[in-house]
Structures are given as structure tokens and as C-alpha cells.
Amino acid sequence: MPMNRLKNPLVCSLVFVVIVLAVFQFESVVLDRLVPLDKSVKVNWIYSHAGTFDYAFVGSSAAYTGIDGKALSDTLGGSVINLGLDGTAHPEQYMVLAAFLESNDVGTIILQVDAWGLDENAYGYPFHEYLHLPYLDKPVVAEVVAERRGGRLAAWKYVPFLKYAEFNTEIGVPNVVHMIGGRQPEFDVYGSSLRNQAFNQAELEALAAAGDHHSYAWSTMRAEYFERMLDLARKKGIPVVVYLTPEYHEVLDYSPSRHQVVSYYRETVAAAGQAFLTYDDEPLCRDRLNFYNTSHLNRDGAGRFAPLLARDVLAASGRD
Amino acid sequence: MLFNSLHFAVFLPCVVIIYFATPGRWRWTWLLAASYYFYACWKIEYLALIVVSTLVDYVVARCMARAVAGRRTFLLCLSLAVNLGLLFAFKYFNFVNASVRAVFGHFDLTYSVPALDVLLPVGISFYTFQTLSYTIDVYRGKRQPEMHLGIFALYVAYFPQLVAGPIERSTRLLPQLRVVQNFDFDRLKTGLVLMLWGFFQKLVIADRMAMVVDHVYTDPQQTGGAVLLIGTYAFAFQIYCDFAGYSNIAIGTAKIMGIDLMQNFRQPYYARSIPEFWRRWHISLSTWFRDYVYIPLGGSRVRKLRLHINLLLVFAVSAIWHGAHWKFLVWGLLHGLYMVFGGLTAGWRHRCAATVGLDRLPRLQRVLGVFVTFNLVCLAWIFFRADSISDAASIVCNIFQMEGVGTVVECLTRPGRLNEVFGLSRTHLVAVAAGLAILELGHLLQMCDRLQLRALAAPTCLRWLAYIILILVIANFGIFQNPRQFIYFQF
């Protein structure tokens, strides 16, 4: 374009805006390709799989840190993958499971649930949409992100670079820096991150202090996504085993709505014709050495829990 | 409404487009409505304070023009009483009340005046000083009272500088508000470039430095001196980039609409002495105090002792302007003492420099001056940033003990440690380094006229490249999640 045309303010502004948008689009395309290569991020690691697994574990941090993949793989006698994600609630778990099942074959789905998972007041469980934004071309990811974030999906999808700019401390450049720096994932080959920490007494005391004032806010939305996971498995013909995560026994006193939540899970799972497992009465739950906080097993606890869970899963699937 | 919000990104283009589409004589109505809306987005009730302040000063100034000498003084006092009274009620009452209660408590006396349950109105210190300057100027006969209530209301509430300055003078801003500005593409470009620079300072540097500062200052007693020193340097850049960033966005916004606001910062950390620092830092406030407090007290044409007392007094008032807390007073008095001490030792320092031959090495002398001044300013910043005077004192002690050097070295080799000690990931560190390099490049351009001319004369494609790089840096490294309020909003 002749430079004298750029003296026209309108043309000049337009050309500049177009160049900026083009640069953003280019960077967006580059990052769309680079971000998934950062396998130190669990979501990228999950979405990179395309294969066959006998057992897929789905859940929140209790699954992420409490599933001993090696022990379970040995005891169950099949391949195991842990899709558990730290700080997630059922909507995100559903999205990951559905996207995973689009490119993987799974023999049995094992869903981890806990008494806090349906309580809006207990944990915020923010929806980590940013981790999934590079995967908006997956229909189920786009669908769930749209359900959770509404019209913003269109902005993230069609405004060049917006998603990487808005979440630039989480995705995009940070992934590139991780890869250049050779960051290793904090999870093992099964997708589990077993912890060595000792029991956190302060957390139990905080829970005790807050216990009397705690009010339960039932999340219908989270329950819906839980049911969608069961429905998804049914449509795919995959058996499901749902287990209530083992918690340190004293915590049961501070969880007044636990009974109601467990009843919901039990009844919903039974209605879907699947198995529901609980471990509240196991000796495992009475020893704080098995936990690093009230509701998370540590490495030792996960090792002790693995044979129990394997036994029940095999029994539930009629393979014991 | 924050400048660094989506709300403002929609608000500004709407205001500018409608502003230039409105016939000249009615533009003030649109700008005034936009300015009131801008303020009301924060808390609509407190808009009443701006309206009261506007009406009082408008009426007082008009009456002053017709009044005889004694009555003029009475009117000035009335304006001061109303404006400073509102400022006192909303900003200082609870502080004074708590201090008096503490004194009474010390002597086991009962004191039952309750605290006021009020929020500090955003920008009250800024617009109060702006209206006061107008009334004082009219009182001194430096300007005629503004007859147009709408234009005067706009002078008080003009949105780009309403909540954090620059504190404009009526002699400068009011005439500009009367002129009907045509759309000027060059002004638009200059304004946008200034805004871009401001956003870079705020989003890339200030908000990222804030992460370090908040992390390091959380538990100062348990933090090593070396870490606290880095945290304090980080705060120096945080507060500078936060406030200078705001000022640049404000100046750029106003420029788009054809209004020139005064420069508020001139690379203050390149100052070679404390007086020079104050000629470069928050210029609109420094000159306000010079014109309306320091000079009326006698300026520099008084005896030495009086001069020193005046300096301490001006800095004490300036400190209290910043916030209702003893720590601000210590911060201000420290600067006052720097000025007094600097004045007292000027001759001695010159002799020392001559003795060691430093006067023959002006560059080294300049570098030393900048280094010492920057560190003195940082020492004072500790009191500004710390939660209390005792925290600040322990930070100063820890810094002088200089423990924790090993921790800092460890952070450079272990990214996990970097996060633990400074609350920064490796990406943030890259961003901080890149950001500071660009900031200093910008300063170099601003300070060197020759470079500035060459940059302005550079081909369009090169200038565009520079702008695009800046936009990319902001998009990639700016902090957009949970936008932070500007630090000076609290004043």
C-alpha cells in the first residue's frame, strides 16, 4: 500500500488494527499448537492420550492424590489412568471424562465423590476454564465451557488471542516457559500425585471451629453434571463404580449434611444400576498416619487403600 | 470504574465518539454526565460530596469577586471549612478519634465518641485540593471566578483525573474546558500511545511487582533482610508504575479529547537529590504544596531555622494528605528530615567531594547521587508500605542485618524456591525482567531529546513495530485477572 494512503487517519487506523489482529491471530495459532505440548499440566497430559485403558479414575484432588496407580494396576490386573484433577467439581470432571472418552476406550470408570463435592459453601471449586481453552475445537469442551461461561465462549473462540491474554498467568506463555525450563509434571505415569506429608492437625481444628457455623448449600448444578457422567457411561456401555473417598473419621462429626449427600449419591448410583462403595468404617479411616489432611490420603494411606478399592471394584464388576 | 477494566474499555470510546459528535456548546454537558457516571460507578451516594464541594466553591468564588477584603477572607475560610471539613469527616475523623481514645485509655479515662461508619470516598483528597486551589486563586486575584456552573462542575469532576489526579490548576484546566476542540488525529495517536504506556506500567510492572511486595511484606518479622530489601525495591517500582501509569492513562485520555493535563512524573528515580526527587515525583501535588503552603509560610526567604521548620511542616501535611495513619507521618517526616539534613550538609558534602576528587568525575558523582537518593527514598517507602510503624521498624532492622542472601541466591537456581520466597513463577520473573528493560528504554527515550527526535522521525513501520511490541507485551504479560485498584485511589 502506498505510504501516502496511510496519511488518511481512517485508513491508517484500519491498517494498524488489522496488523495487530493478524499478529494476535498468528500468536494464538502458535500457542494453540504449543500449549498442548506442555505435559507438565495435567489437563494437557489427559487430552494427549489416545488408547485403551481398563480402568479410568475420575474425581477431584482426593482421586488425584489418593489413587496409587501402580498398586491398583497390579491388584486389578489391568491398565489404569487417573483423570483426577486438583480442585475440580463435577462439571469439569464431566468435561474431561467426556473429552477423554472421545479418543480413548475405557473398560471401567471409577468415580470418586466426597461429602463436600455438592456443597457450594464448603469449597468454591472454581471452574478452570482456562486450562481447557486450547481445546475448544472439542465439541464437549466447547459445550461445557458455554454452559458454565455463556457468551464469553464466542469471545474466546473468535477474538484473536483473547483467551491467552485474559489468562496469561495461567496458559500460553507460561506453558512455553515450562517447556523451555524443562519442568517435570508433579504426577506419575498413572496421573497420580501421591503426597508424603504428615497429617495437618491445624486443618482439623479449623474445621472443628467452623463446624457449628457451617451451612450446607446444595449445588443442583454439580449434581446434574454428576448424573451426566453416569449417563455418558451408560450411553457408551461402560460400567461405573462410584466410591466415597475415605476421610479421617473425626471429620465426620463436622460434616452435618454428609448423610444427605451420601444418600443422594447412593440412590442416584443405584438408580443407574451401578455400584456405590464407602469406607467410613474401615480401620484405614481411624489412623491419621494415612492422611495428609482430613479428607486426603497420603502416600501410605493410598497404598493401604488400593487393595481395598481393588477388591471392591473387582467384586462390583463380577471379576473377583 | 477502574481504567484497567472492561467497563472502561467500553466507556471511553463511547464518551469520545459522542463528545465529538455533540455540538461544541453542549459538550460540557456530555462530559459532565460521563464524569458523574464514572464516579457513580464506584458509589453513587458520594457523588453528593462532589456536588456540595462544587456548589460551595462556585458560590463562594462568585461572591468573593464582589466582596470587600474582610468578607473575602471570611468567604475563603468558609470554603476551606467546608472542603477540609468534609475531608476531615470522611478521611481523618476515625483516625483522630482512635488516637484520642488511645490517649484517654492510657490515662484510664472514659471516652465515648463512636467511630463513624463511613467509607473513604475515592479521590476526595484530589478533588478537594483541586477546588481549593481554585478558591485560593480567586481570593488572591490570580483569576476571575468562573461564571458557568456547568464548566466549573466539569473542572471539579473531569473524569480522567477525578480520582487520582494530576491535581490541576483552574488557570490551566478551566480555559481548556471552554475551548471547543475539533477531532485531531495526531492528538488521538499521542493520547493512545500515552495510554498504552500507562497500561504497560500498571498491568505489566506495577501489578506484577505487587505480587512480590504482598508476598514479602506479609510476615516481615520472619523474612530475611535481603528478601525484604528486594521486596522494598519492588515496591518502589510498584508504586511508581502504578501511579505514573494512572497519570499517563489520565493524561492520554484527556489528550484524545483535546485537553492537556499537567505532567505528573519525570523519571523520579533518576533524581540526584531529594529536592530533585520531589520536583520529579507527583509534580502536581508537590507544586500544590509549594504554591499554597510552602510559599505562604515564607518560602526560602526566611531564616534557616524557620526554613527547616517550614520544610518539616510541609512534608508533615503532605504525609497526612496521603493517609490517616502515623506511618504516613513518619514517611513524610523522613523526607522532611532528608531535605533539612541535605540543606545543612550541602557545603560539607561539596568539600568532601572536592577532597576525594569526585568533583572532577561528574558522571560518577551523578551515579552516586542517583544511587543514594534512590535508596533514601526506598528507606522511606518502607514506612509507606508496611502495615504499621513497628512492622516498618522491624523491616529496617532486618534489612540492615542483611540476612537471607543465601535464600536469594537459591531462588535464582531453584524456581520452586522463587515461588516460595517471592511469590513469583519463572514466567513472572521473565516478565519482570522484560518489563523493567522496556521501562528503562522508555525512560531513556523520555530523557534524551536527541533520541526522542530520532524516534519521532523514524519511519512509520518502525514506530508501528514499537507499538505492536508494546501491545504484545501488555497482552502477554499484563495482569488481567482480578484487576487491582490503583494504590493512590485510597488517598
Side-chain angles (χ1 to χ4, degrees):
Chain A
M1 178 182 288
M3 289 305 276
N4 59 357
R5 287 245 185 107
L6 288 180
K7 288 191 175 129
N8 180 324
L10 200 63
V11 176
C12 180
S13 309
L14 274 175
V15 171
F16 185 77
V17 170
V18 167
I19 292 175
V20 170
L21 288 177
V23 171
F24 276 148
Q25 180 61 27
F26 173 73
E27 195 185 349
S28 207
V29 169
V30 170
L31 287 177
D32 277 343
R33 286 167 203 277
L34 286 179
V35 170
L37 301 179
D38 178 15
K39 303 283 168 39
S40 67
V41 175
K42 178 88 185 270
V43 167
N44 296 336
W45 180 83
I46 292 172
Y47 287 144
S48 71
H49 282 85
T52 303
F53 296 90
D54 296 312
Y55 300 95
F57 289 81
V58 179
S60 61
S61 52
Y64 181 52
T65 61
I67 291 298
D68 186 335
K70 169 93 175 63
L72 278 161
S73 177
D74 291 346
T75 328
L76 289 166
S79 54
V80 161
I81 185 162
N82 184 353
L83 307 180
L85 285 167
D86 218 1
T88 56
H90 295 320
E92 212 168 331
Q93 293 161 14
Y94 163 76
M95 180 168 69
V96 169
L97 175 65
F100 185 78
L101 291 179
E102 277 174 10
S103 46
N104 293 274
D105 292 322
V106 171
T108 303
I109 295 168
I110 301 162
L111 289 180
Q112 169 267 323
V113 296
D114 55 61
W116 314 95
L118 298 176
D119 181 4
E120 300 266 23
N121 284 350
Y123 297 106
Y125 286 129
F127 183 70
H128 307 91
E129 72 283 84
Y130 52 85
L131 292 173
H132 308 273
L133 293 182
Y135 303 96
L136 289 178
D137 54 334
K138 291 181 187 286
V140 68
V141 174
E143 180 196 327
V144 177
V145 170
E147 284 167 9
R148 304 300 319 125
R149 293 291 182 256
R152 298 195 65 189
L153 172 75
W156 288 325
K157 213 167 175 178
Y158 301 114
V159 179
F161 199 69
L162 183 69
K163 57 180 185 263
Y164 291 115
E166 186 172 349
F167 298 104
N168 62 15
T169 54
E170 311 288 350
I171 56 164
V173 175
N175 298 102
V176 178
V177 175
H178 294 164
M179 285 189 285
I180 293 170
R183 189 174 87 158
Q184 294 302 310
E186 63 166 23
F187 47 89
D188 59 24
V189 292
Y190 300 95
S192 298
S193 178
L194 303 178
R195 307 285 161 93
N196 294 318
Q197 286 116 293
F199 188 77
N200 183 347
Q201 179 65 26
E203 199 212 14
L204 183 65
E205 283 161 10
L207 210 57
D212 291 343
H213 313 291
H214 186 79
S215 64
Y216 202 92
W218 182 272
S219 170
T220 314
M221 178 270 292
R222 290 185 194 170
E224 268 172 31
Y225 279 98
F226 173 70
E227 288 163 31
R228 280 168 75 170
M229 280 195 277
L230 294 178
D231 202 37
L232 175 72
R234 184 184 56 76
K235 282 180 186 156
K236 299 239 175 211
I238 305 170
V240 177
V241 175
V242 180
Y243 77 93
L244 187 69
T245 198
E247 291 187 89
Y248 180 58
H249 72 105
E250 280 186 41
V251 82
L252 307 188
D253 300 337
Y254 310 121
S255 175
S257 304
R258 185 182 178 85
H259 178 69
Q260 182 196 354
V261 180
V262 175
S263 297
Y264 161 77
Y265 279 127
R266 192 188 300 280
E267 285 159 21
T268 310
V269 173
Q274 309 290 359
F276 182 72
L277 312 172
T278 58
Y279 296 91
D280 288 353
D281 300 326
E282 288 288 337
L284 171 89
C285 297
R286 308 199 76 78
D287 186 355
R288 61 176 59 190
L289 292 176
N290 291 322
F291 295 87
Y292 74 84
N293 65 21
T294 52
S295 46
H296 291 84
L297 294 166
N298 59 21
R299 183 181 291 276
D300 291 342
R304 289 183 187 113
F305 177 53
L308 300 178
L309 183 61
R311 176 197 68 198
D312 295 341
V313 168
L314 289 173
S317 53
R319 279 187 257 172
D320 56 338
Chain B
M1 189 188 306
L2 291 174
F3 281 164
N4 50 332
S5 67
L6 198 61
H7 197 171
F8 185 73
V10 176
F11 169 82
L12 182 63
C14 293
V15 171
V16 171
I17 291 167
I18 297 174
Y19 173 72
F20 284 112
T22 307
R25 58 188 297 228
W26 295 111
R27 279 187 188 166
W28 67 267
T29 50
W30 170 243
L31 266 192
L32 184 62
S35 298
Y36 280 169
Y37 170 76
F38 181 86
Y39 195 81
C41 285
W42 172 71
K43 202 163 174 54
I44 195 163
E45 299 92 311
Y46 284 1
L47 200 55
L49 295 177
I50 296 184
V51 174
V52 167
S53 194
T54 303
L55 288 175
V56 166
D57 285 310
Y58 176 76
V59 172
V60 160
R62 287 197 62 174
C63 293
M64 230 179 234
R66 295 191 299 264
V68 289
R71 197 171 153 76
R72 284 166 71 85
T73 310
F74 167 74
L75 287 167
L76 176 68
C77 291
L78 178 70
S79 166
L80 290 174
V82 172
N83 285 298
L84 296 178
L86 286 174
L87 190 61
F88 178 82
F90 284 90
K91 189 166 176 176
Y92 300 107
F93 177 80
N94 283 342
F95 167 65
V96 172
N97 196 30
S99 303
V100 173
R101 181 174 294 118
V103 172
F104 271 61
H106 188 72
F107 295 105
D108 289 333
L109 296 169
T110 17
Y111 181 79
S112 54
V113 178
L116 286 180
D117 184 20
V118 288
L119 275 178
L120 175 66
V122 169
I124 188 168
S125 306
F126 289 91
Y127 67 72
T128 301
F129 270 41
Q130 188 153 311
T131 55
L132 280 182
S133 78
Y134 164 78
T135 322
I136 296 170
D137 283 350
V138 172
Y139 173 78
R140 286 174 175 174
K142 275 178 75 178
R143 67 155 296 124
Q144 289 300 307
E146 174 60 53
M147 306 307 270
H148 194 304
L149 176 60
I151 296 281
F152 180 69
L154 184 56
Y155 161 74
V156 179
Y158 184 48
F159 78 87
Q161 42 89 246
L162 171 61
V163 288
I167 302 168
E168 280 296 334
R169 305 301 171 77
S170 57
T171 43
R172 198 183 138 87
L173 184 57
L174 271 170
Q176 293 191 72
L177 295 174
R178 285 193 156 277
V179 176
V180 176
Q181 304 281 354
N182 290 323
F183 176 77
D184 181 340
F185 186 61
D186 286 331
R187 276 185 161 279
L188 174 74
K189 279 195 293 185
T190 318
L192 287 177
V193 171
L194 263 172
M195 288 179 72
L196 198 63
W197 185 246
F199 280 119
F200 163 74
Q201 288 178 305
K202 167 68 179 163
L203 297 169
V204 179
I205 302 184
D207 286 356
R208 188 164 267 103
M209 289 298 190
M211 294 160 73
V212 180
V213 178
D214 291 351
H215 193 85
V216 169
Y217 270 64
T218 303
D219 190 7
Q221 278 88 355
Q222 304 303 319
T223 309
V227 175
L228 285 168
L229 184 65
I230 291 174
T232 303
Y233 285 152
F235 179 66
F237 281 96
Q238 182 201 345
I239 193 164
Y240 165 59
C241 288
D242 191 282
F243 197 15
Y246 178 90
S247 297
N248 281 328
I249 299 168
I251 295 167
T253 306
K255 198 170 268 298
I256 292 172
M257 289 179 278
I259 288 164
D260 288 316
L261 298 181
M262 72 185 291
Q263 192 183 12
N264 221 8
F265 291 88
R266 268 190 311 113
Q267 306 88 42
Y269 294 141
Y270 283 97
R272 282 167 284 172
S273 64
I274 294 295
E276 190 187 346
F277 172 79
W278 282 105
R279 288 194 294 274
R280 290 164 172 260
W281 178 273
H282 201 176
I283 299 166
S284 64
L285 182 72
S286 309
T287 50
W288 197 100
F289 276 111
R290 182 196 64 198
D291 296 345
Y292 299 107
V293 182
Y294 180 68
I295 291 176
L297 284 171
S300 53
R301 283 178 291 184
V302 288
R303 287 208 310 220
K304 270 217 163 147
L305 178 67
R306 176 74 192 277
L307 173 72
H308 295 154
I309 292 171
N310 286 351
L311 278 172
L312 287 173
L313 198 66
V314 169
F315 275 97
V317 177
S318 164
I320 290 298
W321 176 89
H322 279 85
H325 199 295
W326 294 112
K327 64 176 189 166
F328 290 117
L329 191 63
V330 175
W331 168 76
L333 287 176
L334 256 179
H335 273 281
L337 286 173
Y338 291 160
M339 298 283 272
V340 170
F341 191 73
L344 288 173
T345 60
W348 177 79
R349 281 183 290 127
H350 283 135
R351 280 197 301 279
C352 280
T355 312
V356 296
L358 208 56
D359 57 342
R360 289 191 299 276
L361 301 164
R363 278 196 180 171
L364 179 63
Q365 204 173 6
R366 203 177 305 151
V367 171
L368 274 176
V370 169
F371 177 79
V372 172
T373 305
F374 177 68
N375 281 285
L376 286 174
V377 168
C378 285
L379 178 68
W381 281 141
I382 294 173
F383 289 87
F384 196 97
R385 173 58 182 81
D387 291 335
S388 62
I389 294 178
S390 60
D391 268 5
S394 86
I395 290 168
V396 173
C397 289
N398 283 4
I399 286 178
F400 280 105
Q401 283 168 8
M402 230 21 214
E403 284 170 0
V405 178
T407 314
V408 175
V409 175
E410 213 181 328
C411 291
L412 295 173
T413 50
R414 283 177 50 202
R417 217 47 198 120
L418 183 72
N419 205 2
E420 275 169 35
V421 177
F422 291 107
L424 278 186
S425 67
R426 213 186 272 195
T427 318
H428 288 310
L429 192 66
V430 171
V432 165
L436 287 177
I438 294 173
L439 181 75
E440 290 316 313
L441 195 69
H443 284 159
L444 203 66
L445 266 177
Q446 288 164 350
M447 287 191 299
C448 181
D449 292 343
R450 203 158 49 93
L451 273 177
Q452 214 170 57
L453 284 175
R454 284 184 71 172
L456 287 172
T460 308
C461 55
L462 278 184
R463 276 184 289 128
W464 281 19
L465 182 67
Y467 302 150
I468 289 170
I469 289 173
L470 199 57
I471 291 171
L472 280 175
V473 169
I474 294 170
N476 281 285
F477 297 111
I479 305 272
F480 297 102
Q481 283 175 282
N482 311 318
R484 267 172 186 269
Q485 192 168 286
F486 288 86
I487 294 176
Y488 266 67
F489 275 25
Q490 62 183 300
F491 307 136

